[in-house]
Amino acid sequence: MDPEKVREGFEQAVRLMNFAILLYKEQVKARRLFLHEHPFQATSWQLPEMENLLAHPAVEVTLTEMCAHGMTQTDAEGVGFVKKTTKFASNSPSILQAINKRCSRNNF
């Protein structure tokens, strides 16, 4: 892939993420709820704007494994659960508590 197009795509993704973070901050300020989800190892979690949001006292994070929510995929061996560790940020402790799940041995 053309390195210039990759750079442009990344810059656009950062602009969109920063816009979403701005909306999340507005939600917190207005005492409304937000929920943000991205893969656990996504670079978006290290953006300065995201780190600033996560430093807010009303914002918490949790991890979940998507197989605990029924996520599956099909490959050459058939259908199987996907462990995919996912990180969520929210200003709603009850939402985070509800989605904070790990896969059981039955999933594998």
Side-chain angles (χ1 to χ4, degrees):
M1 200 171 190
D2 178 13
E4 182 62 23
K5 288 190 179 197
V6 170
R7 185 188 61 75
E8 289 173 5
F10 179 79
E11 288 175 358
Q12 181 180 13
V14 169
R15 283 192 303 274
L16 291 170
M17 181 60 61
N18 287 338
F19 178 68
I21 292 166
L22 178 67
L23 296 177
Y24 298 154
K25 288 179 178 181
E26 288 296 317
Q27 291 294 92
V28 172
K29 185 178 175 182
R31 297 180 184 246
R32 294 187 300 256
L33 303 178
F34 79 91
L35 178 66
H36 175 80
E37 171 269 329
H38 253 188
F40 170 65
Q41 294 188 354
T43 58
S44 59
W45 293 109
Q46 284 81 47
L47 292 173
E49 293 81 359
M50 179 59 77
E51 290 178 340
N52 179 269
L53 174 70
L54 298 179
H56 191 285
V59 177
E60 299 177 30
V61 298
T62 193
L63 298 177
T64 191
E65 295 171 339
M66 297 308 287
C67 50
H69 298 278
M71 184 178 192
T72 61
Q73 75 175 25
T74 304
D75 62 15
E77 296 179 20
V79 177
F81 285 98
V82 178
K83 189 171 181 180
K84 186 182 177 190
T85 304
T86 304
K87 188 173 182 178
F88 290 84
S90 181
N91 60 336
S92 172
S94 59
I95 291 174
L96 293 176
Q97 183 180 8
I99 61 177
N100 182 6
K101 296 181 179 181
R102 298 293 189 266
C103 300
S104 69
R105 289 180 182 235
N106 297 335
N107 296 119
F108 294 96

